[in-house]
């Protein structure tokens, strides 16, 4: 069964940092582009970042460029999102997803709350 | 940035009825458009990719059409489990963007 499981979310103060992880199983992780997508409470979906299967290409949403870093470890079947200089606008459920036609499948998400 | 606009915002229908959801792009996205279904408290699920291709495991009652700037998701006969929010998403230009969604609710 294809599965993506995010972890690492939580409450963080403005200006703080958090590292999200996404553990993949049930498919050849190293063959797929991977993405992070977020959803603010009660709001729509927002693409955050993409990383190519070998990490050689990375794309970011402008509002997170310079603050967020996406990376992957194909040996560990894992995707990461390092988030620095967090602000209230970054409060959201963060989903990882593989790219196959579209974002497919998705993890269950991990909630990041930025608040003092 | 490409803006995707859904219409209508809310669709009130009964089970068994046909649902027609529209998504309009602010500029051409060719056929690089996907549709997702999201139920409360759940992650989104891919329904259609590249405008008209059903994702794995998606029932045949779901179909997508369109190209350029105008796209349609059709659910031929609504089942109880189809009542949800549907989002379109483009991957033609960076940044990839989503529409704000159409809520399909039970009438």
């Amino acid at each position: 069964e294809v599965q993506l499981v995010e972890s690492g979310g939580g409450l963080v103060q403005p200006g703080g940092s958090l590292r999200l992880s996404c553990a993949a199983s049930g498919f050849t992780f190293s063959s797929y582009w991977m993405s992070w997508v977020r959803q603010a409470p009660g709001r729509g979906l927002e693409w955050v970042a993409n990383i190519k299967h070998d990490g050689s290409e990375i794309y970011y949403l402008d509002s997170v460029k310079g603050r967020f870093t996406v990376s992957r470890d194909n040996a560990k079947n894992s995707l990461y999102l390092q988030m620095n200089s967090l602000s209230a606008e970054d409060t959201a459920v963060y989903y990882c997803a593989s790219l196959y036609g579209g974002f497919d499948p998705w993890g269950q998400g991990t909630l990041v709350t930025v608040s003092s | 940035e490409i803006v995707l606009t859904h219409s209508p915002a809310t669709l009130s229908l009964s089970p068994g009825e046909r649902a027609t959801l529209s998504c309009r792009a602010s500029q051409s996205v060719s056929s690089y458009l996907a549709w997702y279904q999201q139920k409360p408290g759940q992650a989104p699920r891919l329904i259609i990719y590249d405008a008209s291709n059903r994702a794995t495991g998606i029932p045949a009652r779901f179909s997508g059409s369109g190209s350029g700037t105008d796209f349609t998701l059709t659910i031929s006969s609504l089942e109880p489990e189809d009542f949800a929010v549907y989002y379109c998403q483009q991957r033609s230009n960076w940044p990839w963007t989503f529409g704000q969604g159409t809520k399909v609710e039970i009438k």
Side-chain angles (χ1 to χ4, degrees):
Chain A
E1 179 194 4
V2 175
Q3 195 170 18
L4 296 169
V5 179
E6 301 94 337
S7 60
L11 176 64
V12 60
Q13 291 190 336
S17 298
L18 216 52
R19 189 194 195 209
L20 306 183
S21 299
C22 171
S25 60
F27 67 105
T28 308
F29 177 76
S30 59
S31 296
Y32 290 87
W33 284 72
M34 294 295 296
S35 298
W36 288 98
V37 178
R38 66 185 179 183
Q39 186 169 35
R43 305 292 297 275
L45 300 163
E46 183 174 54
W47 166 79
V48 173
N50 281 4
I51 183 168
K52 194 175 180 180
H53 49 79
D54 60 359
S56 61
E57 291 183 45
I58 293 175
Y59 300 90
Y60 294 102
L61 181 67
D62 278 353
S63 62
V64 308
K65 211 174 288 185
R67 300 188 300 121
F68 289 12
T69 302
V70 62
S71 62
R72 64 192 296 162
D73 185 337
N74 288 341
K76 294 183 177 179
N77 289 339
S78 292
L79 176 72
Y80 306 101
L81 186 67
Q82 176 66 43
M83 304 186 296
N84 300 329
S85 303
L86 286 161
S87 69
E89 288 68 41
D90 297 314
T91 294
V93 174
Y94 285 74
Y95 297 100
C96 66
S98 62
L99 277 170
Y100 187 76
F103 298 114
D104 183 41
W106 299 59
Q108 86 289 349
T110 187
L111 176 62
V112 173
T113 303
V114 184
S115 176
S116 55
Chain B
E1 165 174 323
I2 293 177
V3 176
L4 300 177
T5 303
H6 285 268
S7 61
T10 304
L11 199 52
S12 299
L13 296 168
S14 301
E17 290 193 293
R18 183 184 188 89
T20 303
L21 290 67
S22 294
C23 173
R24 175 164 289 177
S26 59
Q27 64 188 79
S28 176
V29 299
S30 185
S31 293
Y32 299 122
L33 189 107
W35 290 91
Y36 299 85
Q37 175 194 71
Q38 188 177 33
K39 298 178 183 178
Q42 295 185 17
R45 178 174 70 146
L46 178 68
I47 302 293
I48 298 287
Y49 66 94
D50 291 348
S52 60
N53 297 289
R54 271 191 306 277
T56 302
I58 300 303
R61 63 181 181 272
F62 290 89
S63 63
S65 63
S67 66
T69 61
D70 290 291
F71 299 86
T72 301
L73 174 68
T74 302
I75 310 171
S76 60
S77 178
L78 282 164
E79 296 288 339
E81 61 268 26
D82 299 337
F83 292 91
V85 178
Y86 292 83
Y87 295 95
C88 60
Q89 175 254 326
Q90 64 83 22
R91 62 180 184 93
S92 174
N93 283 42
W94 302 107
W96 290 5
T97 50
F98 290 86
Q100 286 306 300
T102 289
K103 181 179 182 180
V104 179
E105 64 177 22
I106 299 177
K107 186 174 182 181

